[in-house]
Amino acid sequence: MTQVLGLDIGGSGIKGAIVDVMAGTLVTPRHRIPTPTPATPEAVVETAAIVVRHFGWQGLIGCGFPAVIKGGIVHTAANISPRWVGANGQHMLEQATGSPVLLLNDADVAGIAEMRLGAGRGRDGLVLMLTVGTGIGTALFLDGKLVPNTELGHIEIRGRDAERRASDGARERKGWSYAEWAPRFDEYLQRISDLLWPDLIIIGGGASRDFEKFARFLTVRVEVEPAQLRNEAGIIGAALAAHEYTPVPA
Ligand code: BGC
């Protein structure tokens, strides 16, 4: 059994579990620690290292992070401390844990897990995975291959950043019922469909849990399915990606 530790750094929690990357399943229960506030790079990395130590883990780590990540470097900060921009998050995590780390965008890794093991399994064509939580994360796949770092949660709708009005975070902030929020989300799905013409949209993140509560309000004509791996997608996808994309040192 090949094992990798999967980490999912989010706005409200830092979660981890050991993953069997051959089976794509969790070997341990998830361990979650609330994200420190303020979520500065140092505080978040230290908390992530505590999650890693909880498992007594030494070995490869895959980590999802809510920002554009290129070569381990954090490039954006929509829902995190602006101090992250320019930080080499991957290197910081390696220093703090003493283990090799692959750092990738959180939606991208959740999408990798859903494409491999969940709602996107066996689906060719253009598939868009949305993680609808504090923000809206997007992962775009063409014939199963990821186009990394798409940030389509930030398209502009009615003069505003789409995730500010259509995310689950917006629904909670405004105290909207699903019936009140769904038309805004539906408008977002329609707009994104007009731009990309995907064959399938997978809804993940916090909102996937309550998919049945709002699915009937959606009018968009593209096929929309709830994610299947729920809150494990980020952890499993991060572990799978680290296992597949990290070169073994010679
Ligand atoms: C960020 C994305 C992230 C998404 C979900 C957005 O605000 O810009 O990088 O994937 O939130 O966490």
Side-chain angles (χ1 to χ4, degrees), residues 125-198:
L126 196 67
V127 179
L128 179 67
M129 162 93 180
L130 302 177
T131 60
V132 186
T134 313
I136 297 181
T138 60
L140 188 64
F141 294 85
L142 179 61
D143 293 337
K145 196 165 169 20
L146 174 69
V147 180
N149 287 313
T150 55
E151 287 284 325
L152 300 169
H154 297 298
I155 63 168
E156 196 178 299
I157 296 188
R158 297 179 191 262
R160 296 189 64 199
D161 188 340
E163 75 171 17
R164 296 265 152 241
R165 55 194 314 274
S167 69
D168 206 40
R171 185 184 64 77
E172 283 174 4
R173 254 193 335 270
K174 308 268 183 176
W176 286 328
S177 66
Y178 276 111
E180 289 169 312
W181 168 79
R184 293 169 171 88
F185 185 57
D186 193 38
E187 183 181 28
Y188 172 70
L189 293 180
Q190 187 60 56
R191 181 67 69 82
I192 211 85
S193 300
D194 290 344
L195 294 170
L196 291 175
W197 288 84

Side-chain angles (χ1 to χ4, degrees), residues 2-54:
T2 309
Q3 299 185 347
V4 174
L5 184 82
L7 278 180
D8 183 5
I9 296 181
S12 61
I14 299 180
K15 297 138 276 186
I18 297 176
V19 177
D20 174 348
V21 288
M22 295 304 164
T25 52
L26 300 194
V27 177
T28 62
R30 288 183 342 140
H31 185 64
R32 179 184 188 279
I33 301 184
T35 305
T37 42
T40 59
E42 296 74 19
V44 168
V45 165
E46 182 45 37
T47 307
I50 294 171
V51 174
V52 173
R53 282 202 291 277
H54 165 85

Side-chain angles (χ1 to χ4, degrees), residues 88-125:
N88 191 328
Q90 182 168 295
H91 184 66
M92 290 174 74
L93 284 165
E94 289 185 333
Q95 295 287 106
T97 61
S99 285
V101 176
L102 181 67
L103 188 69
L104 294 174
N105 172 262
D106 56 354
D108 283 354
V109 294
I112 287 171
E114 282 295 329
M115 291 305 288
R116 202 70 61 78
L117 305 157
R121 194 166 31 179
R123 295 292 301 248
D124 279 342

Side-chain angles (χ1 to χ4, degrees), residues 232-243:
E232 292 180 0
I235 291 174
I236 294 175
L240 292 179
H243 176 63

